[in-house]
Amino acid sequence: MAQAPYPLSHSLWAATAGPAPETRPLQGSGQADVLVIGGGYAGLSTALHLAERGIDTLLLEAREIGFGGSGRNGGQVIPGLKYDPDDLVRMYGAERGERLVRFAGGTADLVFGLIERHGMDVPRTRAGWIQGAHTEEALRIAHGRAEQWARHGVAARTLDRAQVAEFTGTDRYLGGWVDPRAGSIQPLSYVRGLARAALRAGARVHTGTPVAALRRDGSRWVATTAAGGKVVAQRVVMCTNAYGGDLWPGLKRSIIDANTFQVATRPLPDAVRATIFPQGHVSSDTRNLLLYFRLDHQGRLLMGGRGPFREPKGPQDWAHLERVLAKLFPQAAGIPFEYRWCGRVAVTRDYLPHLHEPEPGLLIDIGCQGRGVGLQTAMGKALAAFTAGEGEDALPVPLTPIKGFPLYGLRRIYVNAVVAWYRLNDGGL
């Protein structure tokens, strides 16, 4: 039996988020034009955009709004994908590749636009994202990345070592680049804001309602809840990512549900705070086992990165991040840590988001690769357009069959081996 996820209530975000909208478990049965499964960024964005089109939409969330990765991530809103624009054009061809570049490049705009349009109470900044390079080869790649986005009209620019140190507060990187489109949000407040907006638009949202089974019945779909209720819908959109379990055959085996760990200090003293991200940037680096860090809206210093594949057993499972943070930011060494939390990330074989339609009327979205805030918000809008009948061109990536990782049962062993190899090649910190 799988271990229960580490409680969301232990996170910084649960402690500082605005209140969730009032929702209840589904009582009995129901029906809708579209059933959305999963109350994170993708599911709620899908429900919101469907409801705004006047489509009768019902969303079921197994736990609470943002219980999964949407309430546990680092709150960095970074546009783009793991691949650079030139790579995407080579992979998908000129027309589709350029369309995917535009989609990926606009994800942060959509997030901040939705917050403004719906008047969401979400602490946020939009000063840009700095990617620091830890080796000379990584610096060459980072500068090439900036040049590619600049060719697509982005005011991206390269940074030398002194500039990265000035903007971040650490001198441990050789240089890097800055993407001005990016920013940060309070991620749990944002997903709760999406839920509130979806409800206002007319979507029905039920929490505490796990879906136990999903089957096709003629031209309709029937979802059976854990409580025995049934929801009948013409179409189903499944947006559970790393928390979907075994609801659809083979889906769980198509991702590695890696655990990402985070720590946050107490609010920094003013003198220290003035030296770390003084202009409000967010940052992650070029390591294979990347580190990501920023200040929150109350002046805490956050650090995130990989941890054990298993669920944590105690504070020692975050000790490596606390050591790294002290090395990167010695001016903050000794400031106590106030929060430690973790959450699952859905990583696909090719590090791209995947869309599947295993049977007519069932659309599955999976794979956030650590950029889920913007990516999955924008994916929800695209899923809504496709579900409303706009055709496959509405989707940023093509529909593909579900393919599992080889030797999936040994995934913990080979993930740990890959992590050890990456640590050896990333260099010490």
Side-chain angles (χ1 to χ4, degrees):
M1 181 181 295
Q3 289 179 292
Y6 198 72
L8 177 61
S9 58
H10 288 206
S11 78
L12 165 64
W13 309 131
T16 62
E22 183 177 349
T23 56
R24 295 183 176 86
L26 178 68
Q27 299 297 319
S29 299
Q31 60 181 12
D33 292 338
V34 180
L35 168 64
V36 178
I37 303 174
Y41 298 135
L44 286 163
S45 178
T46 301
L48 168 61
H49 288 99
L50 284 171
E52 288 182 331
R53 290 170 175 260
I55 295 173
D56 180 30
T57 304
L58 188 150
L59 182 146
L60 298 181
E61 160 57 37
R63 303 287 189 100
E64 60 184 288
I65 296 300
F67 175 83
S70 296
R72 299 169 183 266
N73 64 84
Q76 297 195 18
V77 188
I78 305 172
L81 297 169
K82 293 293 186 182
Y83 294 92
D84 295 330
D86 289 357
D87 296 325
L88 295 174
V89 171
R90 279 194 295 269
M91 294 164 66
Y92 289 97
E95 181 181 353
R96 181 145 211 159
E98 290 290 350
R99 187 158 20 113
L100 180 53
V101 170
R102 289 193 298 273
F103 169 87
T107 57
D109 288 339
L110 180 61
V111 170
F112 289 105
L114 286 173
I115 291 171
E116 292 294 334
R117 179 159 66 90
H118 293 281
M120 298 181 194
D121 182 14
V122 179
R124 59 198 181 275
T125 62
R126 199 175 187 186
W129 167 62
I130 294 171
Q131 186 177 38
H134 71 295
T135 66
E136 291 290 350
E137 174 61 15
L139 182 61
R140 182 189 66 79
I141 293 171
H143 283 183
R145 185 166 293 140
E147 188 274 330
Q148 288 183 44
W149 279 113
R151 280 193 276 110
H152 284 80
V154 177
R157 61 190 179 100
T158 60
L159 302 174
D160 61 24
R161 184 170 196 156
Q163 289 170 316
V164 171
E166 176 188 354
F167 292 144
T168 65
T170 178
D171 63 359
R172 299 300 290 263
Y173 294 104
L174 303 179
W177 73 290
V178 60
D179 186 337
R181 300 169 295 178
S184 67
I185 58 169
Q186 211 287 11
L188 186 56
S189 288
Y190 171 57
V191 73
R192 288 175 174 176
L194 280 177
R196 192 171 280 107
L199 287 163
R200 281 200 300 259
R204 291 170 285 156
V205 177
H206 294 282
T207 50
T209 309
V211 176
L214 187 62
R215 64 180 176 86
R216 194 175 176 199
D217 182 12
S219 62
R220 304 180 304 171
W221 283 88
V222 179
T224 303
T225 70
K230 296 186 185 299
V231 175
V232 177
Q234 297 298 316
R235 300 182 69 91
V236 175
V237 182
M238 185 173 166
C239 303
T240 54
N241 258 303
Y243 290 82
D246 300 313
L247 185 55
W248 192 259
L251 187 63
K252 183 177 180 179
R253 292 174 173 268
S254 72
I255 61 165
I256 297 294
D257 52 341
N259 220 349
T260 183
F261 281 59
Q262 295 170 73
V263 296
T265 66
R266 290 180 181 171
L268 302 178
D270 290 344
V272 176
R273 183 172 179 173
T275 69
I276 298 176
F277 296 114
Q279 297 184 31
H281 293 90
V282 300
S283 185
S284 57
D285 63 21
T286 53
R287 298 171 187 276
N288 290 302
L289 297 176
L290 67 82
L291 300 168
Y292 52 98
F293 32 91
R294 70 175 181 96
L295 296 180
D296 82 335
H297 59 289
Q298 296 176 342
R300 297 176 182 85
L301 179 57
L302 280 67
M303 167 72 70
R306 287 288 176 262
F309 192 91
R310 57 170 170 75
E311 291 298 313
K313 296 180 178 179
Q316 68 274 11
D317 287 326
W318 285 269
H320 62 295
L321 292 177
E322 296 171 15
R323 287 193 297 268
V324 167
L325 187 143
K327 290 180 179 179
L328 281 175
F329 301 99
Q331 64 270 50
I335 296 174
F337 289 90
E338 196 171 18
Y339 296 97
R340 300 173 180 87
W341 73 101
C342 61
R344 298 284 172 181
V345 178
V347 180
T348 60
R349 295 175 68 174
D350 55 9
Y351 298 99
L352 285 166
H354 287 186
L355 298 175
H356 309 298
E357 192 179 35
E359 292 190 25
L362 172 61
L363 183 60
I364 300 174
D365 162 48
I366 196 163
C368 57
Q369 333 302 334
R371 296 207 177 180
V373 180
L375 173 61
Q376 293 303 326
T377 298
M379 192 64 79
K381 184 177 181 180
L383 298 176
F386 176 80
T387 302
E390 290 190 14
E392 195 171 340
D393 283 348
L395 300 175
V397 294
L399 296 166
T400 56
I402 298 172
K403 293 183 179 179
F405 273 85
L407 302 174
Y408 180 79
L410 301 177
R411 71 193 187 284
R412 295 192 180 200
I413 296 174
Y414 61 68
V415 166
N416 287 337
V418 168
V419 166
W421 174 254
Y422 279 164
R423 281 200 177 116
L424 180 65
N425 286 276
D426 277 340
L429 238 189

